[in-house]
Amino acid sequence: MAVTDAHNPLLGETTCGSLLQKLQEIWDEVGESDEERDKMLLQIEQECLDVYKRKVEQAAKSRAQLLEALSDAKLELSTLESALGDLSFVGLPEKTSGTIKEQLAAIAPILEQLWKQKEERVKEFSDVQSQIQKICGEITGNFGEQVVAPAVDESDLSLKKLDEYQSKLQELQKEKSDRLHKVLEFVSTVHDLCAVLGMDFFSTVTEVHPSLNDSTGVQSKSIGNDTLSKLAKTVLALNEDKKRRLHKLQELATQLIDLWNLMDTSEEERGLFQHVTCNISATVDEVTVPGALALDLIEQAEVEVKRLDQLKSSRMKEIAFKKQAELEEIFARAHIEIDSEAAKEKIMSQIDAGDVEPAELLADMDSQIIKAKEEALSRKEILDRVEKWMSACEEESWLEDYNRDENRYSVSRGAHLNLKRAEKARILVSKIPAMVDGLVAKTRAWEEDRGISFIYDGVPLLAMLDEYAMLRQEREEEKRRLRDQKKFHEQQNTEASPARPAGMKKVVGPRANGGANGTPNRRLSLNAHQNGSRSTTKEGKRDSIGTRPAAPVNKEDVASHVSGTDPVTESP
């Protein structure tokens, strides 16, 4: 046996040639004879032949198995083609020649696809046949009975056969749908009626048939003639009950609203029975809110009507005084004085004597409130002008204080802000005469239109304005006199540094009743109504516009505040 292979150091492995060479080296070293060597080589050759034979036998057996598998695959393919029918969409193998493995490889994916398709087709047949069997049972009256799933004939799974079953199923479904539609309409109506009436839908509908409750699927509901007849009777009875309850509830709602209006019940308290009064004018079909006509709700409304009837007499004084307070508030905002105590005493006497019906009394007070609001609205424009006038007078008073401050131009925090305010104040003060003239014109027009005086917190407004004009004129004269006096003193003593006259005082309004040393300040600025709180009305009633005082209205008031010795510092 020739030595053809040698040890390949690059491959790092032992070959037959290398082993034979190694064997020969050993024999040479041992000194083995040629005869023994030939014998041993023949033995090795025989063993190699045995190995080849075993491998050939194994290959032959494998080929036989592959041929059998190929035959089975072709048979299975033929069977599936026959059962499934139209296979135009399946890619049949084009390769029918070649090696056995190539042929098996070509058939295997097709078989896998057909097996999957067969499984799906069997499921489709089973589903259709089961539905047919179920609907037939429902139509024949065997509703709810346990049925065995139908067996599928796997020898014919063609689309044609499936279409036949599906056509039959559609016919049965149409027949069922018509009957089921009627059942569902009835059940839905019963559900809505039970919800509105506060009744137990489950117990009501299951009395007709146990399958009609919500926990049962739509397709599982009874569709028999007996079920449809009972449902129709139930709906009719519930509708009649709904009509009776709605009529009762609307009567109670009317009584509640009358009592609420009479006692001036708050919106919050009325809201507690909104679910009752919201249906006072509704028709039967319009009432759809769940529980709207429940028996406990009707009983609750009945109890509330009885309670309000008992409370009506005791609440009348409280309601009337509340309206009187509203009336007083309107007059206070409009700066109109009224005799509140007399009005309350009149209300008390009317209620205690029973001379007037509660509804009439409250209606009369509502009428007074409406008239008071109209009166306040007619005074609004003039009151707004009064507000602007008094605000301007406040700025004028601040400007006088600012002008007397010798350090007003010093570099200090906020000095630039005061300077800007002073510039704006001078502009505003220059408009005061026009404000007063406009206010006088508006007030006179208002009085001529109504034939009455415009009273502001008990004082005629025109009198206030006339007094203000007089004070302003006196103030201008005083300014001229003081300027002349100052000029005279400067001429007499030109070398002396300018000093403030001994009699000079800060020009302030009534809210500064004393100077820095606590002595009373009798000087009233041109804006006597500016710097303090606005004057209070009789009995100390607070003015609602703000804290500015009204101008004095008589000579005595003016004289008590005016001092002829106060100088006026000129504006820069």
Side-chain angles (χ1 to χ4, degrees):
M1 189 174 174
V3 178
T4 57
D5 292 334
H7 179 70
N8 190 347
L10 296 177
L11 297 176
E13 61 183 8
T14 302
T15 65
C16 292
S18 65
L19 290 174
L20 183 58
Q21 183 178 0
K22 185 68 175 177
L23 182 60
Q24 288 176 348
E25 291 176 356
I26 294 172
W27 285 343
D28 291 340
E29 184 179 352
V30 172
E32 197 71 48
S33 65
D34 291 340
E35 183 181 353
E36 287 296 326
R37 291 185 183 188
D38 291 340
K39 184 179 178 180
M40 195 169 293
L41 289 174
L42 288 173
Q43 185 181 351
I44 292 174
E45 185 176 356
Q46 184 60 46
E47 290 177 356
C48 288
L49 288 174
D50 292 340
V51 171
Y52 281 123
K53 286 179 181 180
R54 287 197 304 272
K55 292 299 181 182
V56 169
E57 289 174 356
Q58 290 175 1
K61 185 178 180 179
S62 177
R63 180 186 62 183
Q65 290 174 348
L66 288 174
L67 287 173
E68 184 180 359
L70 179 60
S71 177
D72 292 343
K74 289 181 177 180
L75 179 61
E76 181 70 13
L77 182 61
S78 177
T79 302
L80 290 173
E81 290 176 356
S82 176
L84 296 175
D86 184 14
L87 297 177
S88 58
F89 56 91
V90 178
L92 295 176
E94 298 179 356
K95 190 169 186 179
T96 56
S97 59
T99 64
I100 299 173
K101 287 187 177 182
E102 288 176 350
Q103 294 182 55
L104 280 174
I107 293 176
I110 306 301
L111 281 176
E112 184 178 354
Q113 183 178 357
L114 291 177
W115 285 331
K116 183 178 180 181
Q117 185 176 341
K118 177 184 176 182
E119 183 180 350
E120 294 175 352
R121 191 72 58 83
V122 169
K123 186 177 183 303
E124 290 178 356
F125 270 83
S126 179
D127 290 344
V128 172
Q129 288 178 251
S130 296
Q131 293 181 53
I132 291 173
Q133 187 179 39
K134 182 179 179 181
I135 296 175
C136 287
E138 294 175 4
I139 293 175
T140 56
N142 297 325
F143 179 82
E145 292 186 4
Q146 190 69 29
V147 295
V148 181
V152 178
D153 182 10
E154 296 187 6
S155 64
D156 187 0
L157 299 175
S158 64
L159 292 176
K160 180 179 179 182
K161 189 66 174 180
L162 182 61
D163 289 340
E164 292 177 2
Y165 278 115
Q166 288 177 339
S167 297
K168 183 177 181 181
L169 176 61
Q170 289 175 359
E171 293 176 359
L172 293 172
Q173 287 175 335
K174 177 67 169 60
E175 184 177 351
K176 176 182 177 179
S177 178
D178 294 340
R179 300 171 71 85
L180 185 60
H181 183 69
K182 294 179 181 179
V183 170
L184 293 178
E185 282 186 347
F186 280 130
V187 170
S188 177
T189 303
V190 171
H191 179 275
D192 294 342
L193 289 171
C194 287
V196 173
L197 298 174
M199 298 174 62
D200 185 3
F201 165 71
F202 179 80
S203 61
T204 302
V205 79
T206 50
E207 288 180 4
V208 177
H209 195 279
S211 68
L212 300 180
N213 63 76
D214 286 339
S215 61
T216 304
V218 174
Q219 299 299 326
S220 300
K221 297 187 184 300
S222 173
I223 56 176
N225 290 330
D226 185 58
T227 299
L228 289 170
S229 177
K230 288 182 179 179
L231 283 172
K233 292 178 181 178
T234 301
V235 170
L236 181 62
L238 292 175
N239 272 322
E240 290 298 325
D241 194 12
K242 182 180 179 182
K243 291 179 183 178
R244 289 192 297 270
R245 293 192 191 186
L246 179 59
H247 180 68
K248 176 66 175 177
L249 192 69
Q250 288 176 338
E251 290 181 346
L252 293 171
T254 302
Q255 296 176 42
L256 279 174
I257 292 176
D258 291 342
L259 290 169
W260 287 339
N261 293 337
L262 181 62
M263 294 189 290
D264 196 22
T265 304
S266 66
E267 290 297 329
E268 181 179 0
E269 188 174 348
R270 296 188 185 200
L272 299 177
F273 289 88
Q274 173 66 23
H275 54 293
V276 175
T277 57
C278 64
N279 293 320
I280 191 170
S281 60
T283 63
V284 175
D285 294 336
E286 290 173 343
V287 180
T288 57
V289 178
L293 300 177
L295 287 176
D296 58 345
L297 186 145
I298 296 176
E299 292 173 359
Q300 181 186 10
E302 289 176 338
V303 171
E304 181 65 10
V305 169
K306 292 179 182 178
R307 185 185 73 83
L308 293 177
D309 273 332
Q310 297 172 356
L311 188 64
K312 178 173 63 176
S313 57
S314 62
R315 285 284 306 277
M316 284 311 302
K317 289 183 181 180
E318 177 185 346
I319 297 168
F321 287 153
K322 182 179 178 181
K323 291 187 178 294
Q324 179 62 26
E326 181 182 356
L327 186 63
E328 292 174 5
E329 178 65 20
I330 295 172
F331 283 135
R333 288 197 301 267
H335 295 273
I336 301 174
E337 287 191 339
I338 59 172
D339 192 345
S340 301
E341 293 302 323
K344 292 179 180 178
E345 290 177 2
K346 180 180 178 181
I347 293 172
M348 289 279 290
S349 63
Q350 287 180 329
I351 295 176
D352 292 339
D355 295 338
V356 62
E357 288 292 327
E360 294 179 3
L361 174 62
L362 298 181
D364 179 64
M365 297 193 73
D366 286 337
S367 177
Q368 293 181 44
I369 290 174
I370 293 173
K371 292 179 180 178
K373 289 180 178 179
E374 293 175 352
E375 177 72 10
L377 184 62
S378 71
R379 296 165 60 91
K380 184 178 184 302
E381 183 179 0
I382 294 177
L383 292 177
D384 290 343
R385 288 175 177 263
V386 171
E387 175 75 13
K388 293 179 180 178
W389 166 50
M390 290 184 175
S391 296
C393 290
E394 279 191 353
E395 286 299 294
E396 183 181 28
S397 176
W398 177 87
L399 184 62
E400 289 181 358
D401 293 340
Y402 177 77
N403 289 335
R404 289 186 178 87
D405 185 5
E406 296 179 355
N407 298 322
R408 62 182 179 273
Y409 296 121
S410 63
V411 179
S412 61
R413 180 179 298 177
H416 67 290
L417 297 178
N418 288 334
L419 182 60
K420 290 182 178 180
R421 179 180 175 182
E423 293 174 357
K424 294 180 180 179
R426 293 186 189 99
I427 296 173
L428 184 60
V429 168
S430 67
K431 298 178 181 180
I432 290 179
M435 289 183 183
V436 174
D437 293 341
L439 186 55
V440 169
K442 283 289 182 182
T443 304
R444 286 175 177 170
W446 187 93
E447 292 181 349
E448 291 174 1
D449 184 51
R450 288 162 179 77
I452 57 175
S453 296
F454 190 101
I455 305 300
Y456 186 93
D457 286 339
V459 179
L461 180 57
L462 286 179
M464 292 172 58
L465 295 171
D466 291 342
E467 193 68 29
Y468 174 81
M470 181 189 69
L471 287 172
R472 192 173 185 86
Q473 183 178 359
E474 292 177 357
R475 182 61 180 150
E476 292 299 328
E477 292 175 358
E478 181 185 9
K479 283 183 180 180
R480 287 193 294 271
R481 182 181 62 79
L482 291 176
R483 283 196 296 268
D484 293 343
Q485 184 182 11
K486 181 178 180 181
K487 184 176 180 181
F488 174 77
H489 284 299
E490 289 177 349
Q491 290 175 351
Q492 293 293 325
N493 193 5
T494 57
E495 296 180 357
S497 60
R500 180 180 177 135
M504 185 173 182
K505 295 181 181 180
K506 181 179 179 181
V507 180
V508 295
R511 68 177 166 186
N513 290 328
N517 57 2
T519 58
N521 188 339
R522 297 175 60 249
R523 173 77 173 98
L524 174 67
S525 72
L526 295 180
N527 314 301
H529 51 287
Q530 302 166 13
N531 287 325
S533 325
R534 284 189 181 171
S535 63
T536 56
T537 58
K538 295 176 182 178
E539 286 83 26
K541 183 179 69 174
R542 184 178 61 84
D543 190 308
S544 62
I545 288 183
T547 58
R548 313 184 196 99
V553 296
N554 54 63
K555 285 283 187 178
E556 289 74 17
D557 291 341
V558 176
S560 66
H561 290 282
V562 176
S563 172
T565 61
D566 288 350
V568 175
T569 304
E570 292 295 329
S571 300

